[in-house]
Amino acid sequence: MTTFTKVSAYANEPFTNFALDENKQAMEAAIAKVKSELGQEYPLYIGAEKVVTEAKIKSINPGNVDEVIGYVSKADQALAEKAMQVALQTFESWKRVPARERAEYLFKAAKLMRERKHEFSALMILESGKNYVEADVDTAEAIDFIEFYAREIIRLSEINETQPLAKLAGEDNNISYIPLGVGVVIPPWNFPLAICVGMTTAAVVSGNTVLLKPASTTPVIAHKFVALMEEVGLPAGVINFIPGSGAEVGDYLTTHPKTRFISFTGSKEVGLRINKLAADTVPGQIWIKRVVAEMGGKDGVIVDETADLEAAAAAIVASAFGFQGQKCSAGSRAVIVESVYDQVVDRVVALTKQLQIGLPEHNYAAGPVIDKTSYERILDYIEVGKQEGTLLAGGEKAEGNGYYIQPTVIGDVNGKARIMQEEIFGPVLAIAKAKDWQEAIAIYNDTEFGLTGAYFSTNEERIAEALETVHCGNLYINRKCTGALVGVHPFGGFNMSGTDSKAGGYDYLLLFTQAKLTSRKI
């Protein structure tokens, strides 16, 4: 008889206070442990088989490019097809596992990840360039996703008891949320644990099997998660780990007739390509493929003249430069009412110049961007920005044996400028001036994206109007526009920011299930 974990009320995983010496020392010890294990080879997981390929993805430390994190086997189309067949076969048994049993695997995984929290964070510090706080928050969010989605599938499985359908004499009517099938999960590198874990566990706890294709810059932390799920006894073939080329493996699986859904987080361009490919039916396909896409943003902070200006400036800097601006929620724009523009900008520049740049493992506030391609693209955007506005801080490469760029502030930027419209995904903040709060909202809304935004004001009438008219999936009042919490701030955006999936919310598992009504005459 299965012994189930006692399910308590959901609560977010606490963050670690690194101002305490014991916590700082614990992280330093975890980093030392992870560094002693660098350079290993990691296989694919195809069912119960560990596959080692000649072709490898070489993962490097973006803060020290001479340091190799690991060598991860690389799938090709033949291996992707093999994984698909395994996932299809496994789905036939996994879909019959009761929801409470599926949830139990997640509860066990959350417990183990919590026990090894610093070890997971340390690996992210080295592989993705996060400092202590950013890595710790990432791991905490991963734990939150596991815990939240485990509870969610239990809730959905009990829906007929807790929220029964209307009664009709002579009939017994029930709704059930059944899994879709085999899905392709394509997570990003910027939250290489949290989003990878959230996308994958949501799919599998709903009864689906998945083909997990992690980002090529952060495959080792994804492998560590997959190994954890194997350790807790998740049946082989439920998660198949197949790193590989997006053009080769990603496109192949997106267009595969047996792919039931694609869950993607990444750039607008790749998301639109996936959506287009998935929309075309192919021979042997008997469903409309479901695409769950979160595609980034051009987020911003609006400040009017009634705001707490010090709090607004601090929020602008935190939103713009946390993890080097490499968050889809990053506040890469600020729109400030002209009467307080100079005051706020002066404070933003002062706070930005206080950010120290260095190795993430030494816990500097500002670290590297993820890779050479990003590095060169961001530097190109900075040169564009110098022509479109006034350079107020940064604007250059930074020292270090990695992809370091100075946190950059460019003021007096027109709302139509490229650096106000295009997603840069780096430590670059563009600031525009508005004549009043209405124009500030109009400038904010003048973008093809719509993910996160923040509005700073103490005027309740203006706040009420902002809540109605600022067009984004996640709007925050008098706080930064980053830092969504699972179960507290369901996350997803409008327009070209994606399908507004609301990850970490009560709607999310519905994207990986289909509702079946059964009606029996009695």
Side-chain angles (χ1 to χ4, degrees):
M1 183 177 176
T2 303
T3 302
F4 291 129
T5 300
K6 184 178 179 181
V7 182
S8 58
Y10 172 75
N12 293 105
E13 180 69 14
F15 299 148
T16 305
N17 180 3
F18 291 107
L20 300 177
D21 282 343
E22 60 264 34
N23 291 334
K24 184 179 177 183
Q25 290 169 12
M27 182 62 86
E28 290 171 347
I31 292 170
K33 181 179 185 297
V34 170
K35 286 176 79 74
S36 72
E37 300 167 350
L38 295 182
Q40 295 183 24
E41 294 191 358
Y42 299 91
L44 310 177
Y45 283 56
I46 300 178
E49 188 179 358
K50 308 290 195 302
V51 179
V52 177
T53 62
E54 184 176 346
K56 299 285 195 302
I57 296 171
K58 181 181 178 182
S59 175
I60 66 168
N61 181 346
N64 177 9
V65 295
D66 296 329
E67 189 167 66
V68 177
I69 306 302
Y71 299 90
V72 181
S73 287
K74 188 176 183 181
D76 56 16
Q77 286 186 10
L79 289 168
E81 179 61 33
K82 183 177 181 179
M84 171 59 79
Q85 296 306 318
V86 168
L88 286 166
Q89 183 178 359
T90 306
F91 175 66
E92 294 305 312
S93 56
W94 180 243
K95 69 182 181 181
R96 294 179 176 273
V97 175
R100 185 63 183 84
E101 291 185 30
R102 297 197 301 262
E104 188 61 24
Y105 292 108
L106 269 61
F107 288 130
K108 290 177 179 177
K111 182 177 183 293
L112 278 183
M113 189 176 289
R114 190 174 289 113
E115 291 170 358
R116 304 170 190 171
K117 181 189 290 189
H118 291 333
E119 192 174 321
F120 277 88
S121 297
L123 180 52
M124 274 190 287
I125 287 168
L126 297 173
E127 189 173 36
S128 69
K130 297 194 174 215
N131 63 21
Y132 291 13
V133 168
E134 294 288 350
D136 181 72
V137 168
D138 198 315
T139 304
E141 186 176 19
I143 294 168
D144 284 347
F145 277 132
I146 298 171
E147 291 277 5
F148 187 82
Y149 294 147
R151 286 167 174 78
E152 267 299 279
I153 199 62
I154 295 171
R155 181 183 70 85
L156 289 176
S157 72
E158 297 173 348
I159 200 77
N160 292 300
E161 291 75 42
T162 60
Q163 195 175 343
L165 297 170
K167 299 294 184 182
L168 183 66
E171 286 188 1
D172 179 28
N173 298 310
N174 291 283
I175 197 90
S176 58
Y177 295 93
I178 66 172
L180 298 173
V182 177
V184 182
V185 175
I186 308 174
W189 52 261
N190 64 330
F191 284 85
L193 185 63
I195 297 181
C196 175
V197 167
M199 295 166 72
T200 304
T201 57
V204 301
V205 83
S206 300
N208 305 288
T209 56
V210 303
L211 307 172
L212 172 58
K213 195 192 87 63
S216 294
T217 44
T218 53
V220 178
I221 188 66
H223 179 276
K224 190 174 181 69
F225 157 63
V226 174
L228 180 79
M229 297 307 295
E230 179 187 42
E231 186 177 345
V232 302
L234 187 74
V238 175
I239 299 175
N240 300 277
F241 180 67
I242 51 166
S245 160
E248 183 180 8
V249 172
D251 285 3
Y252 178 77
L253 291 173
T254 298
T255 57
H256 199 288
K258 296 300 183 183
T259 294
R260 184 62 181 83
F261 64 92
I262 303 100
S263 182
F264 167 79
T265 301
S267 71
K268 179 195 79 173
E269 291 74 19
V270 176
L272 291 177
R273 175 175 172 77
I274 287 171
N275 193 55
K276 184 177 181 179
L277 291 174
D280 286 334
T281 54
V282 294
Q285 180 180 332
I286 61 170
W287 43 60
I288 298 173
K289 292 174 183 174
R290 193 173 291 184
V291 175
V292 182
E294 198 277 277
M295 305 188 321
K298 189 65 179 173
D299 314 301
V301 180
I302 304 167
V303 184
D304 76 16
E305 74 278 9
T306 75
D308 179 334
L309 302 186
E310 179 64 28
I316 289 169
V317 173
S319 300
F321 300 123
F323 188 39
Q324 294 75 260
Q326 298 175 120
K327 301 178 183 181
C328 49
S329 60
S332 61
R333 300 182 297 155
V335 186
I336 304 168
V337 170
E338 62 182 356
S339 62
V340 293
Y341 179 89
D342 290 339
Q343 189 175 346
V344 175
V345 168
D346 287 349
R347 189 62 182 139
V348 166
V349 170
L351 291 171
T352 301
K353 289 180 176 179
Q354 291 175 15
L355 298 173
Q356 293 186 307
I357 306 167
L359 267 175
E361 66 192 78
H362 296 155
N363 202 26
Y364 280 88
V369 298
I370 190 64
D371 61 12
K372 185 179 181 181
T373 300
S374 292
Y375 178 73
E376 292 175 347
R377 186 192 69 251
I378 295 162
L379 289 172
D380 285 345
Y381 266 115
I382 288 173
E383 293 308 308
V384 170
K386 289 175 182 178
Q387 303 302 312
E388 292 184 327
T390 305
L391 180 66
L392 302 174
E396 305 292 341
K397 302 174 183 177
E399 293 182 1
N401 187 35
Y403 305 115
Y404 296 95
I405 297 173
Q406 295 173 353
T408 297
V409 179
I410 300 172
D412 304 312
V413 181
N414 185 281
K416 296 291 189 182
R418 285 183 62 193
I419 62 167
M420 284 288 285
Q421 292 289 329
E422 299 175 16
E423 186 175 40
I424 299 172
F425 226 66
V428 182
L429 169 66
I431 306 179
K433 183 186 297 182
K435 65 181 180 182
D436 55 30
W437 65 278
Q438 291 104 327
E439 185 180 65
I441 291 176
I443 292 171
Y444 171 89
N445 282 338
D446 185 21
T447 169
E448 66 180 351
F449 296 102
L451 185 51
T452 74
Y455 181 59
F456 276 79
S457 177
T458 58
N459 183 299
E460 289 300 327
E461 290 183 4
R462 295 181 184 184
I463 290 171
E465 181 68 14
L467 290 171
E468 183 73 23
T469 60
V470 175
H471 194 65
C472 58
N474 287 57
L475 175 61
Y476 304 101
I477 304 299
N478 293 325
R479 55 148 285 188
K480 64 179 182 173
C481 66
T482 58
L485 291 173
V486 174
V488 181
H489 313 111
F491 190 81
F494 304 156
N495 299 349
M496 286 298 174
S497 287
T499 57
D500 194 34
S501 57
K502 288 296 180 274
Y506 294 111
D507 306 314
Y508 194 64
L509 291 195
L510 301 181
L511 300 171
F512 303 94
T513 59
Q514 49 195 352
K516 182 176 182 178
L517 181 281
T518 57
S519 181
R520 180 174 180 173
K521 190 173 179 63
I522 54 176

